[in-house]
Amino acid sequence: MTVLDVQGLTVDFSTKGGKHHILKNVALNIGKGEIVGLIGESGSGKSTLAMTILDINSKNREMYGNIRFRGEELSNISKERMRKLRGKHIGFVPQSSMNALNPLIKIEKQFTETIKTHTEMPAQQMFELTSKTLEMVAIDPSRTNSFPYEFSGGQRQRIMIALSMLLSPELIIADEPTTALDATVQSRIIDLLKEVVEQKHTSMLVISHDLHTISRICDRIYIMYGGRIVEVGSTEQIIHHPKHPYTQKLLSSRIPLMAEPVKVKGISGKPPSTLIKHSRCEFLERCDRASVICEAKRPPECIGNVRVACHFGEGHE
Ligand SMILES: Nc1ncnc2c1ncn2[C@@H]1O[C@H](COP(=O)(O)OP(=O)(O)O)[C@@H](O)[C@H]1O
Ligand SMILES: [Mg+2]
């Protein structure tokens, strides 16, 4: 069963400087119980995709396409219906979320407020649900009476994950859940996300700029470049048989865990301008294998059975 089905999603932002084309014909789906990764460098449009699904920060946004959540079309539903879905049926761990807890409100209250928004539950039951959920993320429930600053960054991130799964949503979207944490804490958070999916029987979209960190828990991975999906496949296909030159570069810029400090090999060059509608391959300038055809026309799009948006596609082993 498909929990989330995004088709032809295109997002533009109108600004004084012009219209920015941020998402371009994105197709992405998530099945029941699946953990799907969305990977791309900073600025590629990952958070925009998450926030468009959740209808957050929509002020100067124009969107086209379809977003179906358990069969329900989200692109044109009322704000009120969306508020009901968010938190109860779709949990969200926003980017930089360890700083998203209200610093002036104790943890327990932040949890009970979320419960009260969506359900009517006696106080004792709310307390039990909060304690049980915090226990799942290895936070001592006796500490619910504390303020966010009394916890470390990693603990606050776990509290945010607990908050996102509190009402057992069918889908959790976690945006860069490990960024700004050190390697050991990152690894624990990643394991925790997998446990959450297994124990809560939910589905998950995990967003990251770091393919290596999250790949081990993903069933499938989408690679995003300049607002387009450029490759999609099982984790095994993406990690061991990457087809798109961008995916290959992401893999070779690996920073080995536990190794001696190494110079990080980034991917040289800049992402495409968001103000232009390109009629060529947008990865052209940064690609070692670019050829005449890449300048002449855009590669096929990752829709349906097409797994890689490259003119050389399957030939790029
Ligand atoms: N409201 C907005 N108005 C104009 N541009 C925006 C807006 N929100 C995001 N962007 C632009 O969209 C691009 C993608 O941003 P984002 O989705 O945050 O990328 P990522 O999460 O992959 O780092 C960036 O160039 C960003 O500046
Ligand atoms: Mg982001």
Side-chain angles (χ1 to χ4, degrees):
M1 194 189 103
T2 306
V3 173
L4 182 76
D5 186 18
V6 174
Q7 295 292 342
L9 185 65
T10 296
V11 168
D12 296 335
F13 286 116
S14 296
T15 66
K16 279 193 193 132
K19 197 179 261 194
H20 291 268
H21 308 293
I22 304 300
L23 295 181
K24 302 155 190 170
N25 209 7
V26 169
L28 176 146
N29 60 71
I30 302 176
K32 195 167 183 326
E34 230 188 351
I35 305 184
V36 169
L38 174 65
I39 310 287
E41 66 198 325
S42 179
S44 56
K46 305 179 302 293
S47 296
T48 300
L49 176 61
M51 289 192 279
T52 305
I53 294 167
L54 291 152
D55 196 22
I56 302 173
N57 283 0
S58 58
K59 225 174 88 205
N60 57 342
R61 182 173 68 206
E62 276 174 43
M63 74 152 277
Y64 312 89
N66 299 94
I67 302 169
R68 282 192 201 93
F69 173 65
R70 298 162 75 216
E72 179 176 0
E73 179 62 55
L74 300 190
S75 57
N76 51 12
I77 61 166
S78 67
K79 294 274 170 204
E80 168 145 9
R81 174 76 187 135
M82 194 65 223
R83 261 196 301 276
K84 284 203 172 122
L85 289 177
R86 257 196 323 257
K88 184 154 189 337
H89 298 281
I90 310 178
F92 185 38
V93 183
Q95 193 166 347
S96 315
S97 65
M98 57 186 175
N99 303 318
L101 290 159
N102 189 327
L104 303 175
I105 302 180
K106 288 180 175 173
I107 298 299
E108 182 177 357
K109 182 133 193 261
Q110 304 204 35
F111 276 66
T112 49
E113 289 302 313
T114 301
I115 301 172
K116 280 188 204 159
T117 308
H118 294 286
T119 57
E120 283 184 19
M121 209 183 261
Q124 178 61 23
Q125 210 178 325
M126 282 199 287
F127 175 75
E128 281 164 13
L129 178 61
T130 300
S131 302
K132 200 177 86 192
T133 314
L134 284 169
E135 257 174 1
M136 264 190 76
V137 301
I139 297 286
D140 182 352
S142 68
R143 295 188 68 195
T144 50
N145 209 19
S146 311
F147 287 101
Y149 71 84
E150 296 175 69
F151 295 90
S152 69
Q155 286 172 326
R156 289 203 303 275
Q157 185 66 306
R158 280 189 274 149
I159 293 170
M160 284 305 295
I161 292 169
L163 200 53
S164 78
M165 68 174 183
L166 186 62
L167 297 170
S168 302
E170 290 86 349
L171 174 68
I172 296 177
I173 300 179
D175 193 355
E176 306 268 5
T178 62
T179 306
L181 298 169
D182 68 42
T184 359
V185 182
Q186 278 190 6
S187 185
R188 282 214 296 273
I189 295 281
I190 289 295
D191 290 337
L192 174 65
L193 293 174
K194 178 131 181 103
E195 276 168 43
V196 167
V197 168
E198 281 166 3
Q199 294 190 24
K200 288 274 180 179
H201 306 291
T202 181
S203 307
M204 190 175 278
L205 179 66
V206 197
I207 298 176
S208 180
H209 63 276
D210 182 352
L211 179 53
H212 298 286
T213 309
I214 67 154
S215 61
R216 74 183 154 88
I217 60 158
C218 295
D219 298 303
R220 280 188 308 125
I221 294 177
Y222 288 81
I223 306 287
M224 182 171 258
Y225 181 75
R228 284 185 199 281
I229 300 299
V230 295
E231 183 162 3
V232 54
S234 67
T235 303
E236 145 79 19
Q237 286 169 327
I238 296 286
I239 301 292
H240 297 293
H241 309 281
K243 305 277 188 200
H244 198 285
Y246 180 60
T247 314
Q248 294 170 352
K249 281 186 189 246
L250 281 179
L251 282 162
S252 66
S253 64
R254 158 159 230 174
I255 314 162
L257 269 181
M258 323 300 280
E260 294 293 309
V262 286
K263 196 164 175 293
V264 179
K265 195 172 121 218
I267 300 176
S268 61
K270 279 199 302 229
S273 164
T274 53
L275 283 166
I276 304 166
K277 277 197 167 162
H278 301 270
S279 56
R280 54 172 173 75
C281 174
E282 287 151 316
F283 191 59
L284 181 70
E285 290 89 347
R286 303 172 79 181
C287 186
D288 303 332
R289 294 164 184 171
S291 161
V292 194
I293 189 173
C294 313
E295 178 78 55
K297 63 175 190 175
R298 263 215 317 265
E301 306 201 54
C302 282
I303 298 169
N305 292 329
V306 179
R307 277 195 44 224
V308 55
C310 175
H311 286 298
F312 302 102
E314 299 295 308
H316 260 178
E317 290 258 14

